[in-house]
Amino acid sequence: MAKAIHSMIRVTDENLSVSFYRSAFGFNVADRLDFDTFTLVYLRGAESDFELELTINKGKRELYALGEGYGHLAFCVDDLESEYKRLAAAGFNPRKIVEFKREGALLARFFFVADPDGYQIEVLQRHGRYQ
C-alpha cells in the first residue's frame, strides 16, 4: 500500500512561510535542501510524519498564480474556537467559523485561513471522519 508522505507548494519567501506554518500550526523544519536554483524546506508537525514541502525558486519575487485547480490543505484541531482566536490574535485573519450539516447532523465545523502566498488552509474541529 502507498503511504502519503508530503504535499508540495511553491512559496516566494522562505522565512515568512516557515514562520507562518510554525506560528499557525506548530510545524517545524524537518529538513532543508539547498540547490543552485531552488531550495526545498520540509515542515512537519508533532502529530504526524506527513510533511509540507515548501519549494522556493530563487529569484522569484511575485506571488504564484494559484489557478483554478488548487483546493486547500486541511488540519484538524482539538479546540476550534481557541485556534480561531489564537490565529486572529496573531494577525492571520481567519474567515468565520462554519458549521456544515448533512440531513440535520453536524458533519464538520471549520474555518479557513490563508498563508502568506494565498494558499487556503482549512482548520477543522476534530469530529467524525476528521481526526
Side-chain angles (χ1 to χ4, degrees):
M1 297 296 292
K3 176 184 174 184
I5 58 170
H6 73 256
S7 181
M8 184 277 285
I9 58 174
R10 297 181 194 283
V11 301
T12 54
D13 185 321
E14 177 181 346
N15 292 331
L16 187 61
S17 292
V18 168
S19 177
F20 172 81
Y21 284 99
R22 181 182 298 120
S23 296
F25 302 108
F27 276 34
N28 291 302
V29 175
D31 203 358
R32 185 179 186 281
L33 306 172
D34 192 41
F35 299 91
D36 290 341
T37 59
F38 65 95
T39 300
L40 303 177
V41 178
Y42 294 91
L43 303 176
R44 184 184 308 155
E47 292 197 28
S48 171
D49 288 336
F50 187 82
E51 294 178 328
L52 179 60
E53 175 188 319
L54 306 179
T55 296
I56 305 97
N57 290 310
K58 295 178 181 178
K60 176 79 171 166
R61 300 286 179 246
E62 64 280 351
L63 294 177
Y64 287 93
L66 300 184
E68 62 184 35
Y70 174 75
H72 63 269
L73 297 171
F75 300 109
C76 62
V77 298
D78 290 324
D79 186 342
L80 191 71
E81 285 81 8
S82 291
E83 289 302 306
Y84 182 91
K85 290 175 185 173
R86 187 180 65 79
L87 292 174
F92 295 137
N93 301 314
R95 298 197 323 243
K96 69 177 184 158
I97 294 176
V98 174
E99 288 194 0
F100 187 51
K101 295 183 179 183
R102 184 171 183 200
E103 298 175 0
L106 181 66
L107 181 63
R109 293 185 70 237
F110 60 91
F111 63 86
F112 279 87
V113 63
D115 85 351
D117 286 86
Y119 291 102
Q120 297 298 309
I121 302 159
E122 182 179 20
V123 181
L124 293 126
Q125 175 73 47
R126 284 189 206 280
H127 173 79
R129 72 180 316 274
Y130 306 110
Q131 297 294 323

